[in-house]
Amino acid sequence: MKKFLIPAALVAFALTACQGNKTENQNVDSMAQEPAMEEVIVTPEWVGTFEGTLPMADAEGEKVVLTLNEDGSFKKDAEVLSSNPDKAGMTTEDGTWTLDEATQIITLVKPNATEEYYQWANGTLTLLNDKKEAPAADMADKYVLNKK
């Protein structure tokens, strides 16, 4: 009988020892299967909607809502503000945009291949002329679109 108890005790001991390792392996496996941290996607500051009223020579102004999308597309809604119904009206343009990171100039490219330029600075876009020059200092604040 003693001969039978010793081998049975050894087998029981071996099984218990193996189960202990199995628990440790399960803990390691469960740690390896934990989900990875979620990526945080940061939208660049210049992506979004900008609004303002720009001066016009022959009307009270042009109310502009410009949306720069993250995919490089834009939509520009412009309403000419005029008491003359022949001049008043709404237009919508779309196209693509790019940012020159060195100069912080955003170029809007319209479907007819014309371009429009804006200077990005501190949450605003300032309309530039066709030579990418800023308006005169005394008029600069009238050509600004503010982020909505």
Side-chain angles (χ1 to χ4, degrees):
M1 184 80 163
K2 285 185 181 180
K3 290 182 184 179
F4 180 73
L5 285 178
I6 292 176
L10 288 174
V11 169
F13 178 76
L15 288 175
T16 305
C18 288
Q19 286 177 353
N21 288 341
K22 186 175 180 182
T23 303
E24 287 179 17
N25 288 340
Q26 286 175 342
N27 288 342
V28 170
D29 287 346
S30 69
M31 289 185 340
Q33 293 175 359
E34 286 183 22
M37 300 232 351
E38 290 184 31
E39 286 186 43
V40 175
I41 298 173
V42 178
T43 303
E45 290 182 85
W46 50 85
V47 170
T49 300
F50 299 81
E51 295 181 336
T53 301
L54 305 176
M56 294 184 71
D58 57 349
E60 286 82 39
E62 180 181 44
K63 183 178 179 184
V64 175
V65 178
L66 174 61
T67 302
L68 302 177
N69 299 308
E70 200 165 355
D71 66 358
S73 66
F74 78 85
K75 180 180 177 188
K76 179 183 170 189
D77 294 317
E79 179 183 6
V80 175
L81 306 173
S82 176
S83 55
N84 181 346
D86 294 334
K87 294 182 182 181
M90 184 84 167
T91 60
T92 297
E93 297 176 302
D94 57 10
T96 60
W97 66 273
T98 58
L99 170 72
D100 180 332
E101 291 193 36
T103 62
Q104 296 291 288
I105 292 177
I106 292 175
T107 302
L108 304 183
V109 181
K110 301 174 188 178
N112 62 2
T114 59
E115 295 181 345
E116 198 169 291
Y117 308 102
Y118 290 86
Q119 179 75 54
W120 161 256
N122 302 319
T124 64
L125 295 176
T126 301
L127 179 64
L128 305 177
N129 66 19
D130 60 348
K131 297 176 185 172
K132 300 181 184 179
E133 299 168 333
D138 62 332
M139 294 290 290
D141 63 334
K142 298 189 184 320
Y143 290 86
V144 174
L145 302 178
N146 294 298
K147 191 161 188 183
K148 191 172 172 182

